[in-house]
Amino acid sequence: MSDFLKNLFDLQGKNRWAIARTSVRERIEKLLKLRKAIVKRQQEFYDAVWADFHKPKTEAWLSEVYPTLQEIDYAINHLPDWMEDKDGSWSFLFPSNHSRSHFEPKGRVLIMAPWNYPFLLFISPIVAAIAAGNVVVAKPSHKTPQVAAFLESLVAEVFPQNEVAVVLGAGAELGDQLLALPFDHVFFTGSPKVGAHVTECAAKIHAGVTLELGGKSPVIILDDVKIKDAAKKIAWGKCLNAGQTCIAPDYLLCPSKLVQPLAEAIAQEICKMYGATEEARRSCVNFVHIVESRAVERHQALINDALSKGATAVIGAQFTPEDIENRYTPATVLTGVTPDMKIMESEIFGPILPIVAYNSLDEAIQFVQARPKPLALYIFGKSENRINEVIARTTSGSTCVNHCILQIENLSVPFGGVGMSGTGNYHGFYGFKTFSHERNIMEQGAFDAMNYLYPPYHQKGDKGLRAKIQRFLRAMLNQM
């Protein structure tokens, strides 16, 4: 471990208790200062994220800057209530005791952010950690170096290093050095494979862990779906950030009779959004590129494997020799996809949409049940009964009915995974809670019922006292 990391960790440790005791007003002032810096310097971020993987300004604002500012504003507006102690209910046996729930900061926290939404998924958990009164070490992804450099500069402008510090470096090497330090909580966003390693390391230091992972998020199409409406929303959800989204629709489960019309409708929507020809889409400034050439090679291999096993490309699947160098994967819709194809084995993380046909809703539900729990599940259709049946018979980190991606927008509800797709949640109050320890505090009142319950036991009158207490409790419960 480098001396720099050890010294930084010790520096924050010395400041940890002072930050823990900051008031509501002090924490709000910190968040306001961060907000002001983001607004002032947002063009620098747009330039950086374009340089890293061609994310256009409007999409960067919609999917990164706006939700980050919304997260800050929500925390500012609700922090006084979040920090206030919450009274516990009255105790039957100890009626004069007063119990309350008190949120205290966990202490020193480590935030490890991904590259796909390098601003939002870096700043958003920092907002929650600051609101909860922690000191933070945050590591952005080295795969988006321009954004990482910007984030280091932005955070340094707002916070001293003994409160929030950004560390830069290669993922695995720097990550393992950080995970060797005894942080109180680790917040990681990334792949399930790396998430398992993070959990193993955190267990050695008994740190709390929040994992925001991914997985193959399915879309279940019901037979009463509005095809044109669904096609537009699915095309947008799949092509947003070129499919490099942890809750992107990964594959469709579609009634057999609707596969071709829906596939063609999605292809039409892709043409409307990004260009009528492959060449037009390839040069479209609104279509995000892939973060690295190796991922494009992987996408090409997945498509070729599917085509060799009988799948059909309704749109896309046409690569040029320059695409790998330019980090471009064509938006692709595949029909005739079967479970034995490699594209159905792991999360695609690219603008490729496989469509799997089904003959009954029960078959589609069983398909989802047989696979790891996804971070998101999407349902398109009109039947309320069948929508509720899908929800009741499946599990996922989040579910969105008749749209894609938008379930993360409402900060009054939690966002997080389940099983292989993650552990814990955040956004709004749930982020504040994630970075807090909910402490049980009890204060003894004037009357102490324990005076009648201390040893020695088996004295005269014990049996009668116990019987009276039990009768009293039963009577109280019957009245509830």
Side-chain angles (χ1 to χ4, degrees), residues 228-254:
K228 186 174 181 180
D229 177 71
K232 184 175 185 178
K233 294 169 179 176
I234 293 168
W236 173 76
K238 187 61 183 180
C239 292
L240 177 71
N241 208 39
Q244 300 167 114
T245 303
C246 57
I247 55 171
D250 194 89
Y251 65 95
L252 264 60
L253 291 166
C254 183

Side-chain angles (χ1 to χ4, degrees), residues 214-219 245-252 347 374-378:
K216 295 186 74 63
S217 296
V219 182
T245 303
C246 57
I247 55 171
D250 194 89
Y251 65 95
L252 264 60
E347 187 176 9
L375 186 54
L377 184 145
Y378 300 102

Side-chain angles (χ1 to χ4, degrees), residues 2-132:
S2 70
D3 290 339
F4 169 75
L5 292 181
K6 182 65 169 61
N7 292 337
L8 176 61
F9 187 79
D10 291 342
L11 182 70
Q12 291 198 342
K14 293 175 182 177
N15 196 37
R16 173 250 193 274
W17 292 107
I19 298 301
R21 297 186 63 184
T22 50
S23 66
V24 173
R25 172 46 51 190
E26 288 172 314
R27 296 183 194 181
I28 287 176
E29 287 175 355
K30 296 175 192 295
L31 295 175
L32 285 170
K33 188 176 180 181
L34 176 60
R35 190 189 198 284
K36 183 177 179 181
I38 291 171
V39 171
K40 181 183 70 173
R41 299 183 59 181
Q42 60 183 304
Q43 185 59 49
E44 293 179 54
F45 164 65
Y46 300 138
D47 293 341
V49 79
W50 176 262
D52 278 334
F53 60 117
H54 288 205
K55 183 178 287 191
K57 180 176 180 178
T58 300
E59 186 168 313
W61 174 85
L62 177 66
S63 64
E64 303 222 47
V65 173
Y66 170 73
T68 300
L69 296 176
Q70 186 184 30
E71 185 85 49
I72 294 173
D73 292 341
Y74 194 87
I76 289 171
N77 291 333
H78 292 86
L79 192 55
D81 177 62
W82 295 348
M83 288 181 63
E84 187 174 330
D85 287 358
K86 308 299 186 293
D87 289 335
S89 61
W90 180 67
S91 170
F92 292 129
L93 191 57
F94 304 106
S96 71
N97 294 357
H98 174 231
S99 293
R100 54 194 168 94
S101 177
H102 172 73
F103 286 99
E104 62 184 22
K106 287 190 173 177
R108 287 180 282 195
V109 303
L110 171 63
I111 295 172
M112 305 174 77
W115 55 263
N116 58 328
Y117 290 90
F119 183 84
L120 171 66
L121 299 182
F122 180 87
I123 297 292
S124 183
I126 289 178
V127 169
I130 291 300

Side-chain angles (χ1 to χ4, degrees), residues 1 5 139 142 169-179:
M1 182 188 304
L5 292 181
K139 176 193 170 302
H142 69 287
E173 180 181 350
L174 177 58
D176 283 348
Q177 291 185 53
L178 289 167
L179 290 167

